[in-house]
Amino acid sequence: MPATTRLISVNDVERLADLQLSSRLFLAPWDPIRADPYFTVAGQQAEVENALARHGRGEAVPHVILDEDSQVVGRITFSGITYGAFQSCNMGYWVAQESNGRGYATNAVRAMTALAFKELSLHRIQAETLIPNARSQRVLERVGFVRYGTAPKYLKIAGRWQDHLMYQLLTDSH
């Protein structure tokens, strides 16, 4: 039952709003604090439009994660895409509470790494997790990501600056 991904679309807005709202408490420990409008259709419309604009500029590859019935269950995004000597990007993802623990994130990360290396010709994908986020760490490690360090007070998550474990996957190790 491999999950697939596809480019996000404005047609995903209502589903994403539903998922964000129903998973709000579940995702809160892993996300920045978000204002109430973020969890509405209008808020998700703005998020999707921004993601597609960044994609149009070549800065991001925003995908949705699909289950075996092609229903949206989460998001996965490459951001900070840089070419030249760096040829790298950052990857972030989430899966809604109702679909968590079913392998969707692992399969989506696997699919996106193939896209990064084969279609985008990148050399490196970086991903970070909060130290207590063992589930996300297992996802990355299953796909072959290697932990290479800790970034103190890296991102402001759940209202405070928190340390993150740093992971990377290189094209020649994939």
Side-chain angles (χ1 to χ4, degrees):
M1 137 313 313
T4 57
T5 72
R6 65 163 167 76
L7 186 65
I8 200 167
S9 159
V10 292
N11 295 329
D12 298 319
V13 167
E14 287 187 30
R15 175 70 174 156
L16 289 169
D18 288 344
L19 292 175
Q20 282 289 340
L21 188 59
S22 67
S23 297
R24 186 174 185 172
L25 292 177
F26 174 73
L27 295 173
W30 320 114
D31 278 347
I33 291 177
R34 302 189 191 277
D36 289 342
Y38 177 85
F39 301 92
T40 66
V41 171
Q44 289 303 299
Q45 178 81 30
E47 288 292 317
V48 169
E49 288 173 0
N50 179 275
L52 289 170
R54 290 176 38 233
H55 177 67
R57 293 189 301 269
E59 300 168 357
V61 178
H63 277 211
V64 288
I65 299 171
L66 305 173
D67 68 10
E68 58 276 359
D69 297 322
S70 297
Q71 296 299 306
V72 174
V73 296
R75 284 192 58 186
I76 186 166
T77 300
F78 290 152
S79 61
I81 297 171
T82 305
Y83 288 97
F86 197 40
Q87 291 179 271
S88 186
C89 72
N90 188 277
M91 180 181 65
Y93 54 89
W94 61 267
V95 174
Q97 183 175 11
E98 66 192 44
S99 301
N100 207 272
R102 297 184 189 171
Y104 297 130
T106 301
N107 290 324
V109 168
R110 195 170 280 126
M112 290 294 280
T113 59
L115 184 145
F117 297 141
K118 294 176 183 165
E119 293 181 36
L120 301 177
S121 300
L122 295 176
H123 168 70
R124 179 177 176 271
I125 305 167
Q126 176 177 308
E128 309 81 25
T129 73
L130 286 165
I131 292 171
N133 194 346
R135 291 179 103 178
S136 192
Q137 293 157 26
R138 282 194 302 274
V139 165
L140 294 170
E141 290 165 358
R142 272 188 216 114
V143 177
F145 280 74
V146 175
R147 189 173 103 190
Y148 69 94
T150 303
K153 298 182 181 180
Y154 185 67
L155 294 173
K156 193 173 187 179
I157 300 296
R160 65 186 204 282
W161 292 99
Q162 297 195 50
D163 299 348
H164 281 66
L165 298 178
M166 309 295 286
Y167 284 83
Q168 69 177 6
L169 184 65
L170 304 177
T171 188
D172 55 0
S173 65
H174 181 63

